[in-house]
Amino acid sequence: MERVVLVTGASGGVGLALCQRLLEEDGRIHLCIACRNDQKSEATRDLILAAHPAAQVSTVEVDLGNLASVLRVAQELRCRFQRLDFVYLNAGIMPNPHVNFKALWRGLLTGKLLHMLTTAEGVMTQTDRLNGDGLQEVFATNLFGHFILVRQLESLLCGNEKPSRLIWTSSSNARESAFSLSDYQHAKGQESYSSSKYATDLTSVVLNRKFNNQGLYSSVVCPGLVMSNMTYRILPVFLWKLLMPIMWLIRFFAKTYTLTPHNGAEAHVWLFKQKPESLDALVKYHSCTSGLGKNYVEPRKMDVDEETAEKFYQKLLELEKETLEKYSDLLD
Ligand SMILES: NC(=O)C1=CN([C@@H]2O[C@H](COP(=O)(O)OP(=O)(O)OC[C@H]3O[C@@H](n4cnc5c(N)ncnc54)[C@H](OP(=O)(O)O)[C@@H]3O)[C@@H](O)[C@H]2O)C=CC1
Ligand SMILES: CC(C)CCC[C@@H](C)[C@H]1CC[C@H]2C3=C(CC[C@]12C)[C@@]1(C)CCC(=O)C[C@@H]1CC3
């Protein structure tokens, strides 16, 4: 029986490249692409089928920043499939990004420039806002919508003959100091993106602890710095194009400058080929590209405290309970 692979955020960037690359690896998979609306789904499906005419590609529509939409799509997926082999939790946002170029300059003087250029530590801030569910938008879209999706799909992911896999697109920008248990939605600070990605790392660690014995395995990946709609909202396209020769040079020192969505999907595709039992739950798998353009994957230990992860998971379960009570009419 063919493997079923669900990809969120499939309409562009890393998600779209990942879909194309998965079909190059195994043309027999059933690929289910999750996009925000049916125009995007159809356009994405057409693009994928143009390159892989024989591929089995289906579509679902979901707004991950809208809990009613997440509950509806989970119900639809439960009706459509008996099992999901891989779920790539890839959709993500970074609204209103702001780059602090002075910080980069200081980094040059203090010898921290390379670290800043690869992690954006101390370089980027964002302005977040509340969404229609009363949650911080970045937390809701990048993490909580995906968390509810996974929990609602448990019957398709657990207890199958073969293990099922969750692969979260995290980031090198995930940072403990941007996250706090008392403000886990990051309502007070200006690093909501960094906080949401650290929360993603914590969640993956706990999901492994809770679900490995039921055959569900979770991993986190970082695609590296990729030119996509997300980065084109940070600096204009023409400026990135002008900076390209500098970034190719930086790549000799910073292997995470993958720069294209195809390269950025390297770790996602590599994980598709690995046995889950061979993976380390405390490692983030980074897509890397060498100075000469060769792609590879680098595992790096994550900076996560397992006790904090467990406490955070309990908070997610509380929020989940509130959500399910609020939307009880949408549950079967
Ligand atoms: N680009 C980079 O340098 C890096 C990116 N990442 C992560 O990689 C992932 C992919 O980003 P990337 O490809 O670069 O960026 P893109 O903006 O190109 O892709 C983001 C995808 O997420 C979808 N999406 C956004 N919001 C929602 C929502 N509310 N509901 C459903 N789908 C949504 C977008 O859909 P739509 O087309 O409708 O907007 C799009 O398909 C993200 O999680 C990002 O945080 C991590 C490290 C570096
Ligand atoms: C010469 C150029 C490379 C200068 C570019 C300066 C900044 C715009 C970039 C330096 C580090 C980058 C970075 C990201 C965005 C752009 C930078 C801040 C991300 C935050 C994009 C999204 C992520 O998930 C992680 C990236 C880390 C590095």
Coordinates of all heavy atoms in Angstrom, one line a residue, residues 51-104:
A51 N 5.3 18.6 -13.2 CA 6.6 18.0 -13.1 C 6.5 16.5 -12.9 O 7.4 15.7 -13.2 CB 7.4 18.6 -12.0
H52 N 5.4 16.0 -12.3 CA 5.2 14.6 -12.0 C 3.8 14.2 -12.4 O 2.9 14.0 -11.5 CB 5.3 14.4 -10.5 CG 6.7 14.8 -9.9 ND1 7.8 14.1 -9.9 CD2 7.0 16.0 -9.4 CE1 8.8 14.8 -9.4 NE2 8.3 15.9 -9.1
P53 N 3.5 14.0 -13.7 CA 2.2 13.8 -14.2 C 1.5 12.6 -13.6 O 0.3 12.6 -13.5 CB 2.4 13.7 -15.7 CG 3.8 14.1 -16.0 CD 4.6 14.0 -14.8
A54 N 2.3 11.6 -13.2 CA 1.6 10.3 -12.8 C 1.4 10.3 -11.2 O 0.9 9.3 -10.7 CB 2.5 9.1 -13.2
A55 N 1.8 11.4 -10.6 CA 1.8 11.4 -9.1 C 0.3 11.5 -8.6 O -0.6 12.0 -9.3 CB 2.5 12.7 -8.6
Q56 N 0.2 10.9 -7.4 CA -1.2 11.0 -6.7 C -1.1 12.2 -5.8 O -0.4 12.1 -4.8 CB -1.4 9.7 -5.9 CG -1.5 8.5 -6.7 CD -1.8 7.3 -5.7 OE1 -2.8 7.3 -5.1 NE2 -0.8 6.4 -5.5
V57 N -1.8 13.2 -6.1 CA -1.7 14.4 -5.3 C -3.2 14.9 -5.0 O -4.0 15.1 -5.9 CB -1.0 15.6 -6.0 CG1 -0.9 16.8 -5.1 CG2 0.3 15.2 -6.6
S58 N -3.5 14.9 -3.7 CA -4.8 15.4 -3.3 C -4.6 16.7 -2.5 O -3.5 17.0 -2.1 CB -5.6 14.4 -2.5 OG -4.9 14.1 -1.3
T59 N -5.7 17.4 -2.2 CA -5.5 18.7 -1.6 C -6.5 18.8 -0.4 O -7.6 18.2 -0.4 CB -5.9 19.9 -2.5 OG1 -7.2 19.7 -3.0 CG2 -5.0 19.9 -3.8
V60 N -6.1 19.6 0.6 CA -7.0 20.0 1.7 C -6.8 21.5 2.0 O -5.7 21.9 1.7 CB -6.9 19.2 3.0 CG1 -7.5 17.8 3.0 CG2 -5.4 19.1 3.4
E61 N -7.8 22.1 2.4 CA -7.6 23.6 2.7 C -7.7 23.8 4.2 O -8.5 23.2 4.9 CB -8.8 24.4 2.1 CG -8.6 24.6 0.6 CD -8.9 23.4 -0.2 OE1 -10.0 22.8 0.0 OE2 -8.1 23.0 -1.0
V62 N -6.7 24.5 4.8 CA -6.7 24.8 6.2 C -6.0 26.1 6.4 O -4.9 26.4 5.8 CB -6.0 23.6 7.0 CG1 -4.5 23.4 6.6 CG2 -6.1 23.9 8.5
D63 N -6.5 26.9 7.4 CA -5.8 28.1 7.9 C -5.4 27.7 9.3 O -6.2 27.5 10.2 CB -6.8 29.2 7.9 CG -6.2 30.5 8.5 OD1 -5.0 30.4 9.1 OD2 -6.8 31.6 8.5
L64 N -4.1 27.5 9.4 CA -3.5 27.0 10.7 C -3.7 28.0 11.8 O -3.5 27.6 13.0 CB -2.1 26.5 10.5 CG -2.1 25.1 9.8 CD1 -0.9 25.0 9.0 CD2 -2.2 24.0 10.9
G65 N -4.0 29.2 11.5 CA -4.2 30.2 12.5 C -5.6 30.4 12.9 O -6.0 31.3 13.5
N66 N -6.4 29.4 12.5 CA -7.9 29.4 12.8 C -8.3 28.0 13.3 O -8.3 27.1 12.5 CB -8.6 29.8 11.5 CG -10.1 29.8 11.6 OD1 -10.7 29.0 12.4 ND2 -10.8 30.6 10.9
L67 N -8.6 27.9 14.6 CA -8.8 26.6 15.2 C -10.0 25.9 14.6 O -9.9 24.6 14.4 CB -8.9 26.7 16.7 CG -7.6 27.2 17.4 CD1 -7.8 27.6 18.8 CD2 -6.5 26.1 17.3
A68 N -11.0 26.6 14.2 CA -12.2 25.9 13.6 C -11.8 25.3 12.3 O -12.2 24.1 12.0 CB -13.3 26.9 13.4
S69 N -11.0 26.0 11.6 CA -10.5 25.4 10.3 C -9.6 24.2 10.5 O -9.7 23.2 9.8 CB -9.7 26.5 9.6 OG -9.0 26.0 8.5
V70 N -8.8 24.2 11.5 CA -7.9 23.0 11.8 C -8.8 21.8 12.2 O -8.5 20.7 11.8 CB -6.9 23.4 13.0 CG1 -6.1 22.2 13.4 CG2 -6.0 24.5 12.5
L71 N -9.8 22.1 13.1 CA -10.6 21.0 13.5 C -11.4 20.4 12.3 O -11.5 19.2 12.2 CB -11.6 21.4 14.6 CG -11.0 21.8 15.9 CD1 -12.0 22.4 16.9 CD2 -10.3 20.6 16.6
R72 N -11.9 21.3 11.4 CA -12.6 20.8 10.2 C -11.7 20.0 9.3 O -12.1 18.9 8.8 CB -13.1 22.0 9.4 CG -14.5 22.3 9.8 CD -15.2 23.4 8.9 NE -15.8 24.3 9.7 CZ -15.4 25.6 9.9 NH1 -14.3 26.0 9.4 NH2 -16.1 26.4 10.7
V73 N -10.4 20.4 9.1 CA -9.6 19.7 8.2 C -9.2 18.3 8.8 O -9.0 17.3 8.1 CB -8.3 20.5 7.8 CG1 -7.2 20.5 8.8 CG2 -7.8 20.0 6.4
A74 N -9.0 18.3 10.1 CA -8.7 17.0 10.8 C -9.8 16.0 10.6 O -9.5 14.8 10.2 CB -8.4 17.3 12.3
Q75 N -11.0 16.5 10.7 CA -12.2 15.6 10.5 C -12.2 15.1 9.0 O -12.4 13.9 8.8 CB -13.5 16.4 10.8 CG -14.7 15.5 10.9 CD -15.9 16.2 11.2 OE1 -16.1 17.4 10.7 NE2 -16.8 15.7 12.0
E76 N -11.9 16.0 8.1 CA -11.9 15.6 6.7 C -10.8 14.6 6.4 O -11.0 13.6 5.7 CB -11.6 16.9 5.8 CG -11.9 16.7 4.4 CD -11.6 17.9 3.6 OE1 -11.7 19.1 4.2 OE2 -11.4 17.8 2.4
L77 N -9.6 14.8 7.0 CA -8.5 13.8 6.8 C -8.9 12.5 7.4 O -8.5 11.4 6.9 CB -7.2 14.4 7.4 CG -6.6 15.6 6.6 CD1 -5.6 16.3 7.5 CD2 -6.0 15.1 5.3
R78 N -9.5 12.5 8.6 CA -9.9 11.2 9.2 C -10.9 10.5 8.4 O -10.9 9.2 8.3 CB -10.6 11.5 10.6 CG -9.5 11.9 11.7 CD -10.1 11.7 13.1 NE -11.4 12.5 13.2 CZ -11.4 13.7 13.8 NH1 -10.3 14.3 14.2 NH2 -12.6 14.4 13.9
C79 N -11.8 11.2 7.6 CA -12.7 10.5 6.7 C -12.0 10.0 5.5 O -12.3 8.9 5.0 CB -13.8 11.5 6.3 SG -14.9 12.0 7.5
R80 N -11.0 10.7 5.0 CA -10.4 10.4 3.7 C -9.3 9.3 3.8 O -9.2 8.5 3.0 CB -9.7 11.6 3.2 CG -10.4 12.2 2.0 CD -9.4 13.1 1.3 NE -10.0 14.4 1.2 CZ -9.3 15.4 0.7 NH1 -8.1 15.3 0.2 NH2 -9.8 16.6 0.6
F81 N -8.6 9.3 5.0 CA -7.4 8.3 5.1 C -7.6 7.4 6.3 O -8.2 7.8 7.3 CB -6.1 9.1 5.2 CG -5.8 10.0 4.0 CD1 -5.9 11.4 4.1 CD2 -5.5 9.5 2.8 CE1 -5.7 12.2 3.1 CE2 -5.2 10.3 1.7 CZ -5.3 11.7 1.8
Q82 N -7.0 6.2 6.1 CA -7.0 5.3 7.3 C -5.7 5.5 8.1 O -5.7 5.1 9.3 CB -7.1 3.9 6.8 CG -8.5 3.6 6.3 CD -8.6 2.2 5.6 OE1 -7.6 1.7 5.2 NE2 -9.8 1.7 5.6
R83 N -4.7 6.1 7.5 CA -3.4 6.2 8.1 C -2.7 7.3 7.5 O -2.9 7.6 6.3 CB -2.7 4.9 7.9 CG -1.9 4.3 8.1 CD -1.0 3.3 7.5 NE -0.3 3.7 6.3 CZ -0.6 3.3 5.1 NH1 -1.6 2.5 4.9 NH2 0.1 3.7 4.0
L84 N -1.8 8.0 8.2 CA -0.8 8.9 7.7 C 0.6 8.5 8.0 O 0.8 8.2 9.2 CB -1.1 10.4 8.2 CG -2.4 11.1 7.8 CD1 -2.5 12.4 8.6 CD2 -2.3 11.4 6.3
D85 N 1.4 8.4 7.0 CA 2.8 7.9 7.3 C 3.7 9.0 7.7 O 4.6 8.8 8.6 CB 3.3 7.1 6.1 CG 2.5 5.9 5.8 OD1 2.7 4.9 6.5 OD2 1.6 5.9 5.0
F86 N 3.6 10.2 7.0 CA 4.4 11.3 7.3 C 3.5 12.6 7.3 O 2.7 12.8 6.4 CB 5.5 11.5 6.2 CG 6.6 10.6 6.2 CD1 6.5 9.3 5.6 CD2 7.8 10.9 6.8 CE1 7.5 8.4 5.7 CE2 8.9 10.0 6.8 CZ 8.7 8.8 6.3
V87 N 3.8 13.4 8.4 CA 3.1 14.7 8.4 C 4.2 15.7 8.5 O 4.9 15.7 9.5 CB 2.1 14.9 9.5 CG1 1.4 16.2 9.5 CG2 1.0 13.8 9.4
Y88 N 4.4 16.6 7.5 CA 5.4 17.7 7.5 C 4.6 18.9 8.0 O 3.8 19.4 7.3 CB 6.0 17.9 6.1 CG 7.0 16.8 5.8 CD1 6.6 15.7 5.0 CD2 8.3 17.0 6.2 CE1 7.6 14.7 4.7 CE2 9.3 16.0 5.9 CZ 8.9 14.9 5.1 OH 9.8 14.0 4.8
L89 N 5.0 19.3 9.2 CA 4.3 20.5 9.8 C 5.2 21.7 9.5 O 6.1 22.1 10.3 CB 4.2 20.3 11.3 CG 3.5 18.9 11.6 CD1 4.0 18.2 12.8 CD2 2.0 19.1 11.7
N90 N 5.0 22.3 8.3 CA 5.9 23.2 7.7 C 5.4 24.6 7.6 O 6.2 25.6 7.6 CB 6.3 22.7 6.3 CG 7.0 23.7 5.5 OD1 8.2 23.9 5.7 ND2 6.4 24.3 4.5
A91 N 4.1 24.8 7.6 CA 3.6 26.2 7.4 C 4.1 27.1 8.5 O 4.3 26.7 9.7 CB 2.1 26.2 7.4
G92 N 4.4 28.3 8.2 CA 4.9 29.3 9.2 C 4.8 30.7 8.8 O 4.8 31.0 7.6
I93 N 4.8 31.6 9.8 CA 4.8 33.0 9.4 C 5.8 33.8 10.3 O 6.1 33.3 11.4 CB 3.4 33.7 9.7 CG1 2.8 33.4 11.1 CG2 2.4 33.2 8.6 CD1 1.6 34.2 11.5
M94 N 6.2 34.9 9.8 CA 7.0 35.9 10.6 C 6.5 37.2 10.2 O 7.0 37.9 9.3 CB 8.5 35.7 10.2 CG 9.4 36.7 11.0 SD 10.9 36.9 10.2 CE 11.8 35.5 10.9
P95 N 5.4 37.7 10.9 CA 4.8 39.0 10.5 C 5.6 40.2 10.9 O 6.3 40.2 12.0 CB 3.5 39.0 11.2 CG 3.6 38.0 12.3 CD 4.8 37.1 12.1
N96 N 5.6 41.2 10.2 CA 6.2 42.5 10.4 C 7.7 42.4 10.9 O 8.0 42.8 12.0 CB 5.4 43.3 11.5 CG 3.9 43.3 11.2 OD1 3.5 43.7 10.1 ND2 3.1 42.9 12.1
P97 N 8.5 41.8 10.1 CA 9.9 41.6 10.6 C 10.7 42.9 10.6 O 10.4 43.8 9.7 CB 10.5 40.6 9.6 CG 9.7 40.8 8.4 CD 8.3 41.2 8.8
H98 N 11.6 43.1 11.5 CA 12.4 44.3 11.6 C 13.9 43.8 11.8 O 14.1 43.0 12.7 CB 11.9 45.2 12.7 CG 12.8 46.4 12.8 ND1 12.8 47.5 12.0 CD2 13.8 46.6 13.7 CE1 13.7 48.3 12.4 NE2 14.4 47.8 13.4
V99 N 14.8 44.3 10.9 CA 16.2 43.9 11.1 C 17.0 45.0 11.7 O 16.9 46.2 11.3 CB 16.9 43.6 9.7 CG1 18.3 43.2 9.9 CG2 16.1 42.5 9.0
N100 N 17.7 44.7 12.8 CA 18.5 45.7 13.5 C 20.0 45.6 12.9 O 20.8 44.8 13.3 CB 18.6 45.4 15.0 CG 19.3 46.4 15.8 OD1 20.1 47.2 15.2 ND2 19.2 46.3 17.1
F101 N 20.2 46.5 11.9 CA 21.5 46.5 11.2 C 22.7 46.9 12.1 O 23.8 46.5 11.9 CB 21.4 47.3 9.9 CG 20.7 46.6 8.8 CD1 19.4 46.9 8.5 CD2 21.3 45.5 8.1 CE1 18.6 46.2 7.6 CE2 20.6 44.8 7.1 CZ 19.2 45.2 6.8
K102 N 22.3 47.8 13.1 CA 23.3 48.2 14.1 C 23.9 47.1 14.8 O 25.1 47.0 15.1 CB 22.7 49.2 15.0 CG 22.7 50.7 14.5 CD 22.4 51.6 15.7 CE 22.1 53.0 15.2 NZ 21.1 53.7 16.0
A103 N 22.9 46.1 15.2 CA 23.4 44.9 15.9 C 24.3 44.1 15.1 O 25.3 43.6 15.6 CB 22.1 44.1 16.3
L104 N 24.1 44.0 13.8 CA 25.0 43.3 12.9 C 26.4 43.9 12.9 O 27.4 43.3 12.9 CB 24.4 43.3 11.5 CG 23.4 42.2 11.1 CD1 22.9 42.4 9.7 CD2 24.0 40.8 11.3

